[in-house]
Amino acid sequence: MNELSLPASISIGDITVRDGLQALEHYVPLKEKLRLAEELILTGYKALELTNLGNPKAMPQFKDAEALLDALLDSERVGPRLAQNGGDVTLTVVAINERAVVRALDYRARRGRGPDYLLQMVSTDPEHHRVNSGVTLEEYWRTTERCIAMAKREGMGMCGTVSTIWGSPMAGSEETRLETAVEFARRYLELGAAYIEHADHDGSADPLRVFEYFRMILDPGRMGALAHPSRHLAHFHTTRGMGLANYLAALQAGVVRFETTLSGIGGQPANVVDGVPVLGTGSYYHRNHLTSGLVGGEDFAAMCEAMGIRTGLELGRLMALGEQFRDSVLRAGRDEIAIWLANVARVTALSSSELAGLAEVERLPDPLWERATEALAKERPLPEARALAEGLLASTQGLLQRKSWAPSRAETLLAGPLRARQR
């Protein structure tokens, strides 16, 4: 029987504070974000994706972006470990458009230091890319060429994210081709991107096509020097339950860089924060946006260590942090739920008692949904009002029944990690 072809060690980056928290329908205070980032670094993570420098009107979770950067760079607990302060831990921030890149450059000019990497994103599906970024693919490539050059001049690297590799969530989109994603990854790297994040943002991938794709990406005959594993990172959501299987396929193909979040949360930015509608992403890819979370860090690290793959993480400390995150950050307190109910009541014209009653029913009552739609339609088109009413009431019901902002997907926290195998 042939053994699996697996690396001896890998690097796992954590993106909980950015990609994870953006899906929560609750603003996590700056102090809690800082403590979480510090604990992740103390657990052994060498790469953190920290925040988003885009317009906070769309995603108010990141209204504290610069304050969080300041606090972490000045942290007494972990500041010396950061690359900007002479250590070996790198920080990435999302800067999807040119305005966000300029903001990052301005931050660095004012503070004398800043993130190590910026992150931009392209979709292989033209329609998904247009909706996601507001520009055509060709417009995007011209812009990102400028952005990569600007970042390089100021000593910052660029992560080029390639999305919709294995499929697009946009209705009516044509089937995506793996070869297109390979071409896009090459184009990014030739423009000067430091590395590529290969992303399955909606869980369309399956293990066979993951293996096929990364064999192409890591093929020197096809990619030349750009095939080096250090230039390629896997970022997978587990919407359809295949996240860990896809990561195993990537491991077998030769990938050694991965990203995860605590409890497997994250994905689509929330359309509602603390009961108040925000710009968010509009219509969700999935009926329940909380189903589109990432591969969980606790489970993936435990799986790798059990197979004898070194991660550089302190597994016991990671499990303790995962439990604290699940039981504290994700848990919704009584006062927070009261604020949610009051805000939803205000925008839907429903009473707090009517909303509280959603905890006792299995499906959303049509009369409540219709009244909420009528109230929301006073300020927005009817189709948008309908979708928002359904989302608000479904989120309210889920919050009241779970008493948490999102369910944890970290199964290892319930069963405990397996004994690590020596290789």
Side-chain angles (χ1 to χ4, degrees):
M1 180 178 176
N2 294 328
E3 291 190 3
L4 293 177
S5 176
L6 298 172
S9 63
I10 62 169
S11 170
I12 305 176
D14 184 88
I15 57 176
T16 305
V17 189
R18 199 285 297 179
D19 205 328
L21 299 188
Q22 74 176 13
L24 296 191
E25 295 177 316
H26 169 63
Y27 170 69
V28 177
L30 172 63
K31 183 178 180 181
E32 185 62 39
K33 289 175 182 168
L34 173 62
R35 191 201 67 79
L36 178 57
E38 291 174 334
E39 289 298 328
L40 287 163
I41 291 170
L42 293 172
T43 298
Y45 286 100
K46 300 297 185 183
L48 260 64
E49 193 173 288
L50 191 66
T51 190
N52 188 325
L53 291 178
N55 188 343
K57 289 184 179 180
M59 290 180 283
Q61 187 68 255
F62 305 118
K63 61 186 179 182
D64 54 14
E66 294 188 14
L68 179 57
L69 273 166
D70 285 341
L72 190 59
L73 287 166
D74 292 334
S75 167
E76 293 183 1
R77 299 181 71 203
V78 301
R81 299 187 182 213
L82 302 180
Q84 291 292 305
N85 297 328
D88 61 356
V89 177
T90 61
L91 302 178
T92 298
V93 302
V94 173
I96 292 293
N97 55 43
E98 193 165 1
R99 289 189 302 275
V101 172
V102 170
R103 184 181 175 191
L105 299 179
D106 178 65
Y107 176 91
R108 185 179 180 87
R110 286 184 284 111
R111 304 298 207 278
R113 55 187 178 175
D116 302 285
Y117 298 99
L118 306 180
L119 180 148
Q120 295 200 312
M121 189 182 81
V122 67
S123 303
T124 60
D125 170 23
E127 179 61 15
H128 182 273
H129 183 84
R130 185 191 64 78
V131 172
N132 198 52
S133 68
V135 299
T136 66
L137 282 170
E138 282 312 307
E139 288 172 324
Y140 170 80
W141 285 118
R142 289 194 293 270
T143 299
T144 203
E145 183 174 7
R146 292 196 303 273
C147 290
I148 290 172
M150 288 191 297
K152 269 189 150 182
R153 284 196 295 269
E154 299 304 322
M156 285 185 284
M158 183 69 76
C159 165
T161 300
V162 181
S163 182
T164 65
I165 298 170
W166 294 273
S168 171
M170 299 298 296
S173 292
E174 296 181 5
E175 185 176 350
T176 56
R177 296 173 61 253
L178 299 184
E179 290 80 7
T180 302
V182 174
E183 293 166 9
F184 280 18
R186 176 193 291 278
R187 188 167 183 177
Y188 257 138
L189 292 170
E190 290 177 343
L191 288 176
Y195 66 96
I196 304 299
E197 175 190 289
H198 303 272
D200 178 31
H201 283 143
D202 81 317
S204 291
D206 62 78
L208 178 59
R209 291 189 301 146
V210 168
F211 182 80
E212 291 174 350
Y213 174 73
F214 281 117
R215 287 298 294 265
M216 288 191 283
I217 285 291
L218 301 177
D219 178 9
R222 179 188 290 265
M223 296 286 285
L226 302 179
H228 197 280
S230 65
R231 309 293 297 272
H232 302 282
L233 181 152
H235 170 115
F236 281 60
H237 293 237
T238 190
T239 311
R240 296 170 178 85
M242 288 188 275
L244 280 176
N246 287 331
Y247 268 15
L248 178 59
L251 282 166
Q252 290 180 267
V255 176
V256 295
R257 296 183 65 185
F258 297 85
E259 287 182 334
T260 58
T261 59
L262 294 174
S263 276
I265 67 166
Q268 296 166 233
N271 289 335
V272 177
V273 175
D274 291 319
V276 178
V278 298
L279 290 178
T281 53
S283 297
Y284 288 127
Y285 298 166
H286 309 286
R287 184 178 178 85
N288 181 348
H289 79 287
L290 295 178
T291 65
S292 63
L294 284 93
V295 170
E298 301 95 329
D299 292 341
F300 184 53
M303 183 184 88
C304 288
E305 295 287 352
M307 295 191 297
I309 301 173
R310 297 188 302 275
T311 65
L313 302 176
E314 188 179 331
L315 201 56
R317 186 161 190 156
L318 174 59
M319 296 305 138
L321 177 58
E323 290 180 348
Q324 190 278 330
F325 179 77
R326 178 195 62 192
D327 298 338
S328 178
V329 178
L330 295 186
R331 184 69 54 85
R334 181 179 301 176
D335 291 344
E336 293 169 336
I337 293 175
I339 291 171
W340 173 281
L341 292 176
N343 286 335
V344 175
R346 176 175 53 81
V347 300
T348 62
L350 300 174
S351 69
S352 292
S353 60
E354 287 177 307
L355 293 169
L358 292 173
E360 309 301 326
V361 298
E362 292 185 5
R363 63 182 300 274
L364 299 179
D366 288 339
L368 264 63
W369 177 71
E370 291 166 359
R371 286 167 52 201
T373 298
E374 183 179 353
L376 291 163
K378 293 177 181 179
E379 298 182 2
R380 50 182 53 83
L382 184 58
E384 181 184 334
R386 285 176 177 152
L388 181 56
E390 182 180 17
L392 272 170
L393 296 183
S395 292
T396 300
Q397 185 177 50
L399 175 62
L400 292 170
Q401 293 176 346
R402 290 190 312 266
K403 299 294 193 298
S404 69
W405 299 109
S408 172
R409 293 178 160 192
E411 297 180 46
T412 305
L413 296 184
L414 301 177
L418 296 168
R419 184 184 301 274
R421 182 172 72 89
Q422 300 298 316
R423 295 182 70 192

